[in-house]
Amino acid sequence: AALGELEALNLSGRGLEELPEEVGAALSGLRVLSLRRNRLGRLPAAALRHLGRLAELDLSHNRLRGLGDGGALAGLRGLRKLSLSHNELGAEGPGLPPRLAELGRLEELDLSFNRLRRLPEGLSRLRHLRALDVDHNLLPSFPAPLLELVALEELDCSGNRHLGALPEGIAALRRLKILWLSGTGLAALPESLCQLSALESLMLDGNRLRALPAGFGSLQRLKMLNLSSNLLGEFPAAILALPSLEELYLSRNQLTLLPPRLCQLRQLRTLWLDNNRIRYLPDSIVLLHSLEELVLQGNQIAILPEGFGQLSRVTLWKIKDNPLIQPPYEVCMKGIPYIAAYQQELAHSQPALKPRLKLVLMGLKDAGKTLLRRCLMEEDGQREDVGSLEAGSTQPRGFHGQQQDIGRGIEVMDWTADAERGLTFIVYELAGDPSYDVIQSFFLSPGALYVLVVNLSAYVPQHFYASVGYFLHWLGSKVPHAVVCMVGTHADLCAERELEEKCLDIHHQIAQQEKRDAEGLQSLVQQVDEALGQDFDLRCSSPHAAFYGVSDKNLRRKKAQFQYLLNHRPQILSPVLPFSCQDRCQVRRLRDKLLSVAEHRDIFPNLHRVLPKSWQVLEELHFQPQAQQLWLSWWDSARLGLQAGLTEDRLQSALSYLHESGKLLYFEEHLTLREYVFHNLPRLIDILNVFCQRDATVLLQKLLSDTHIDELRATQLHHYVEGFLLHGLLPAHVIRLLLKPHIQSREDLQLILELLEKMGLCYCVNKPKCKPLNGAAAWYKFPCYVKNEVPHAEAWINGANLSGQSFVVEQLQIEYSFPFIFPPGLFARYSVQINSHVVQRSDGKYQIYAYRGKVPVVVSYRPARGALQPDTLSIASHASLPNIWTAWQAITPLVEELNVLLQEWPGLYYTVHVLCSKCLKRGSPNPHTFPGELLSQPRPEGLTEIICPKNGSERVNVALVYPPTPTVISPCSK
């Protein structure tokens, strides 16, 4: 009796292959029944015949290929809601029986994600039907019966790729509020569509529309319109007549102009215009005061209208990939408040143009970068001066400070390349030594001109990748679309034929590498397209499937990332330019080449950026000779700001711009460092260079420079240096000695150590709870120096304890693979970033063994063992199955920290996988991998186990693949 009174029953995800008649007979009072996510291959007709009172029935996500004669369903006369989505209806026969039309009270019908090619004629008899979803079927045209469903308010026909056109009779659906027609192959819309006066939401994205009907403005109640991914060459004027419009999506069209009357859309909250060809924004856009989302990336916008800062409600703002000069890119990327501050400042003071461009020299250690730089910067260019430069006896023009030795590390200086036009290069010469990897990537940034230098006399084709290919991968992953000029030095040491052959070989191998990379990415795009063409259920049905379980949303995100990488390949400007300091013609030719490239507005619009005069004066005041101390306090900087005409409340935005554009360092969100401005970059780089020095003799010379050091003290310092070069450990007082004469006080030292920690160079291993009385108490670890291995971590990660016995607990392991390049210095920086999350850590050269609370974690980097194998970085933990949530809790913050670091490499291709715990337990050398995108997806409802494809008899608990709570963003996307 009690069962007969039950009104709702949820049997989702129970693996049911049938529903016995006895169940229906016992539950005759049931009103709501959910059988979703089971394995039903046919309709449970016998059971349904007893459920005459049923109002809601969910049969979605099963394996139904037909509904029989429909009699069982037709008997459910009171049914108001029926879901048959994500089945295989239509795979055999018509799919839907005519008797479905007997459900006279039906209000909602979901037939999405099936294989239906037609709908039954009698469907028109469903006079009460309010919502119909036939999304992602195989309908060849718009089904005529739908035009008679006069009560219909919601209709989704998206994903029926061959629908092709809408009938004129669509006007009959006068109650329609929601109409979704995404990806239906529409080339035009009928005028009758404009008679749907109740319409509030219209999805037309992914079609071939070039225009809208003339009467489109009649849709006065329309609130959301999506026209993305069409062929619109002009902004449809009819849209301006839609006063209720709140959301407008016009991404990925061919728009060049926006109408001045855009401000008529006063209710607009969302406006997406990305990936068009828009050059200007109308001044009236600033009057869209309700705007909350504004997406403009991937256009050709150089100047934002005055008063743009009035759009203060905008929270989602995307503007990258535009040639911005006013405000500069660095200001725009910070957001609307910074744009407002810039425009207010421009109104206070006159605009100023100061052409300055970052020029970065990179290449191997013996490439000849230093000599090339000095030759270019020499004023008189006489051959005998070049000789003296090689001997290191003169300084390059524009370089102020102590004489630097060739190959001393990273150097930075100004070069006024064209005094007449006031064009200045800020020249960064990067070290060719891998010891500097941990800091060099900081100096690779957008909007710079890169010169890749190759020593032609030493170049051999077999070493192309080390000399050229590696640097292009490194640069491309950090700065997508980087502008690169190839220069071959020591040309005078090569015979004419040899010179020509080597230059041609480099040019040819660059083209081959680019082709391989592009083809690899195209192949990945194709794989994603194939997966998107499949049913989501099909992708979830077998772990053998490509992109097993990955949602359409994550796949589209993945495809967008691949397309971005394909569209932002390095811009290699010309074949290799041979160069010799002995040939003044070649020196002048290279100088002219650099100047012509720098002044090309399409390549470097940022050279012509407009700044408020006060910002320019502030920059100059920070770099005047009397401001040569290592850092300025905020108040020192504020005093300089007053001299530049900047009040304290206007100083922040100016310093933020100077930081973003690489002129100085100012960390406005760091609790300690925000009180200081690091304006002296050459001295700061000198400090960074000290911590990339691997020569014990040089380090000892620095420490023993004080003549009062006795023999015992000298021996002690010698031990410190040995420990530093082996384990990366140094006490604070020795760091202070190393940094003489840069460090004058304990405050200097503390500040520099905070800065080094912020940059990811070191961390304090025994940070005291209160400040130490002197600098001797604190020890600092520099992970890039660690040379020792940690064998017990290696054993742990392979699934064995110290005695070699296998664990009985379950293992979690997230693995990041880097097929093209592993970002130089990433492991060392990551090692510093995770320090606040772990305790009791033990570091090896490629491993970190630590605890999160009481849960062990291992971070392990494995360099590629061959050309076809990727570098990998994995994060692992373990726990018993009931407590596996603790292992997820341990590794999730570490995964998130790595994801944040990888955001700094927008051109990097990498993959993320969850390794099969069963394979790990077996000690398999090639464990099965589940897609990393699953980390950002909720666990599938009703799923408890997943079959491991490497061993079909083994099932992996779903808790070992999906985290308890999805991560905020897919780890594979940027």
Side-chain angles (χ1 to χ4, degrees), residues 106-147:
L106 201 63
E107 295 177 8
E108 298 179 35
L109 176 58
D110 187 352
L111 299 168
S112 60
F113 289 91
N114 280 286
R115 301 178 193 177
L116 300 172
R117 287 178 169 79
R118 64 184 183 86
L119 300 180
E121 291 294 328
L123 205 66
S124 58
R125 304 203 321 259
L126 299 177
R127 295 293 178 180
H128 294 283
L129 197 65
R130 290 186 300 101
L132 174 62
D133 190 347
V134 289
D135 178 17
H136 280 84
N137 277 282
L138 304 173
L139 299 174
S141 60
F142 192 89
L146 301 191
L147 300 176

Side-chain angles (χ1 to χ4, degrees), residues 399-402 404 408 410 412 627-631 678-690 739-744 748 752 755:
F399 179 61
H400 306 287
Q402 297 179 340
Q404 309 279 317
R408 189 187 170 278
I410 299 167
V412 59
Q628 284 307 296
Q629 61 265 55
L630 187 56
W631 48 264
F678 297 90
H679 65 297
N680 195 335
L681 285 188
R683 282 189 68 190
L684 185 59
I685 288 170
D686 283 346
I687 287 173
L688 296 178
N689 283 332
V690 169
L739 295 181
K740 276 187 173 182
H742 302 293
I743 297 294
Q744 303 297 333
D748 280 0
I752 287 299
L755 181 62

Side-chain angles (χ1 to χ4, degrees), residues 891-954:
I891 67 173
T892 298
L894 307 191
V895 168
E896 288 172 348
E897 285 286 1
L898 183 55
N899 292 343
V900 169
L901 266 183
L902 289 170
Q903 299 292 314
E904 297 177 13
W905 298 80
L908 179 69
Y909 169 58
Y910 61 94
T911 60
V912 187
H913 291 98
V914 182
L915 270 53
C916 170
S917 66
K918 297 287 186 183
C919 293
L920 291 172
K921 190 177 278 190
R922 270 204 320 271
S924 168
N926 295 301
H928 176 66
T929 58
F930 297 99
E933 284 82 5
L934 301 184
L935 296 172
S936 68
Q937 297 178 196
R939 291 180 184 175
E941 191 182 323
L943 187 67
T944 56
E945 292 181 323
I946 304 170
I947 296 170
C948 170
K950 290 281 174 78
N951 187 341
S953 62
E954 286 189 321

Side-chain angles (χ1 to χ4, degrees), residues 868-896:
L868 298 176
Q869 284 193 316
D871 295 63
T872 60
L873 195 157
S874 60
I875 304 160
S877 183
H878 65 244
S880 62
L881 189 56
N883 294 318
I884 201 67
W885 62 270
T886 62
W888 280 114
Q889 205 171 52
I891 67 173
T892 298
L894 307 191
V895 168
E896 288 172 348

Side-chain angles (χ1 to χ4, degrees), residues 151-166:
L152 211 57
E153 295 178 6
E154 301 177 20
L155 175 59
D156 187 353
C157 293
S158 300
N160 289 281
R161 300 175 186 180
H162 305 295
L163 212 61
L166 292 179

Side-chain angles (χ1 to χ4, degrees), residues 623-639:
F623 303 126
Q624 60 191 357
Q626 60 265 37
Q628 284 307 296
Q629 61 265 55
L630 187 56
W631 48 264
L632 297 174
S633 71
W634 164 265
W635 295 110
D636 292 336
S637 194
R639 279 190 283 273

